[in-house]
Amino acid sequence: MRHIRARARDGFESVFGYRTDALWSAPGRVNLIGEHTDYNLGFVLPFAINRRTVAAVSLREDRIARVASAFADEIVEIDLTKISPDSVGGWAAYPFGVAWALGQHGADLLAVPGFDIFVESDVTVGAGLSSSAAIESAVALALNDLWGLELDRRTLAEVGRQAENEVVGAPTGIMDQSASLLGESDSAVFLDCRSLESRIVPLGLERDGLALLVIDTGITHAHATGGYADRRASCELGAKLLGVRSLREVAVDDLARAQVLMDDVTFRRVRHIVTENQRVLETVATLESIGARGIGGLLDASHLSMRDDFEISIPELNLAVETAVENGALGARMTGGGFGGAAIAMVSTGDLSRVQLAIDRAFFSQGFSRPDTFIVTAADGARRES
Ligand code: GLA
């Protein structure tokens, strides 16, 4: 953490030519369970991880906003008074999108001071760990503080989602920003995406001798295009055919009726969402009664549902999950939006090296590139660093 803070400070100075000591950070996230349920107004159970994005930020005396980062060469500059959803593209759409969305939540963009921001991150891009939500949340918290807006974290999550939907153009839900802003160490965030009420659920992984292994396939995805939007459209069609506002209103007992109302593909998309909501509720109940050792079967069932019903997994993710479970993981599933990215496996600490080695071997024998495997812990959400 000290490293990345120092890199953000140094990066800021070398790009903008002066120093700032004002730093904010926000974590990436892993979703424990509850996939594609957020935009269906259902339940999710993500946690913030110990990989963070740091934003070094300084206010200016004019209305100009400039952003730069360690992962892009240029400085992108904009006049805050003229900002609109169409005026920015590329990675700068994340920080500028947040500034624009804050304008939709009370910031007077004709009056607030401009800013310089330098972003550093150790959240891998495209791995399904929400690198974009980490940027949005760090910037949202920073500007909220510096502009004195006093918005609460739930509203800041909404700001991040709005930036992503309307400025970046990815039709994603509220899960990632909520995890990044509301996360707490060694705990998951249980979020009802309809009421937006949330509750912290302790994970107790270390106490139970468990670790969460991330297996990043290295295959990147982009949710602004393709499969993600297509799945969302299927869910909306399913809800329409069932005469409900969202699939949140559909219970497992309604599935038999749903099956006769729609084509097979739409039905399977609906079945994933409805059963996944149920699995999130069971996971929370199990964590609170038995503890994490009891949730392995729910993780496995979630993966099968994404593989067979929602069809968002890929061979590399399936291989990672199957190999982990065959070699002693208590449960495993792909995590995030799908079509690439990462899987997670819950493993007894004593079995970690066996599982990791088996995955490397399996990938090698299938001719897949070596995945990046690493342990994540549940960490605190966005905060001011200095
Ligand atoms: C991406 C989106 C989230 C959520 C997940 C799937 O991470 O950003 O809003 O829909 O996919 O669960």
Side-chain angles (χ1 to χ4, degrees), residues 29 31 34-39 44 128 130 132 164 171-177 221 223 228 312 333 335-338:
R29 66 99 188 90
N31 189 14
E35 222 66 82
H36 286 255
T37 43
D38 60 354
Y39 57 78
V44 291
S130 291
S132 50
E164 184 119 8
T172 50
I174 191 82
M175 169 170 74
D176 306 341
Q177 296 81 4
H221 59 260
H223 292 326
Y228 187 95
I312 53 171
R333 61 187 285 279
T335 184

Side-chain angles (χ1 to χ4, degrees), residues 98 102 105 136-137 139-145 149-162 174 177-178 181:
V98 165
L102 286 169
H105 284 83
E136 289 152 7
S137 303
V139 170
L141 194 66
L143 294 179
N144 184 53
D145 286 355
L149 302 175
E150 296 183 359
L151 299 173
D152 62 17
R153 283 173 182 248
R154 222 193 263 181
T155 308
L156 294 178
E158 178 55 25
V159 161
R161 189 196 58 80
Q162 215 177 344
I174 191 82
Q177 296 81 4
S178 302
L181 281 151

Side-chain angles (χ1 to χ4, degrees), residues 161-335:
R161 189 196 58 80
Q162 215 177 344
E164 184 119 8
N165 290 174
E166 292 175 45
V167 183
V168 177
T172 50
I174 191 82
M175 169 170 74
D176 306 341
Q177 296 81 4
S178 302
S180 185
L181 281 151
L182 302 173
E184 285 184 21
S185 131
D186 203 21
S187 301
V189 180
F190 173 41
L191 176 69
D192 177 336
C193 301
R194 185 165 64 186
S195 67
L196 293 182
E197 266 161 34
S198 64
R199 181 149 64 82
I200 290 298
V201 178
L203 290 170
L205 293 176
E206 203 183 320
R207 181 202 57 211
D208 288 353
L210 293 169
L212 261 161
L213 189 65
V214 171
I215 306 115
D216 175 9
T217 62
I219 298 174
T220 54
H221 59 260
H223 292 326
T225 51
Y228 187 95
D230 181 72
R231 293 304 181 278
R232 190 165 176 157
S234 293
C235 293
E236 281 160 12
L237 173 63
K240 196 169 152 213
L241 293 171
L242 280 159
V244 291
R245 219 180 105 240
S246 75
L247 292 181
R248 163 64 178 276
E249 290 162 44
V250 184
V252 175
D253 287 348
D254 298 325
L255 285 172
R257 184 172 66 90
Q259 191 159 20
V260 295
L261 284 176
M262 56 192 77
D263 65 276
D264 177 59
V265 171
T266 310
F267 172 66
R268 287 187 291 112
R269 306 299 187 245
V270 168
R271 183 165 60 187
H272 165 70
I273 300 301
V274 172
T275 57
E276 185 80 347
N277 274 331
Q278 186 59 30
R279 282 185 288 271
V280 176
L281 296 178
E282 283 172 31
T283 302
V284 171
T286 308
L287 282 170
E288 290 179 337
S289 53
I290 302 169
R293 284 194 173 266
I295 68 168
L298 291 159
L299 302 183
D300 295 344
S302 171
H303 184 75
L304 293 183
S305 180
M306 289 187 283
R307 187 190 71 184
D308 300 336
D309 273 357
F310 218 57
E311 295 181 284
I312 53 171
S313 192
I314 57 169
E316 287 83 348
L317 289 168
N318 295 335
L319 183 67
V321 165
E322 282 153 24
T323 311
V325 173
E326 274 160 21
N327 285 277
L330 277 77
R333 61 187 285 279
M334 57 146 281
T335 184

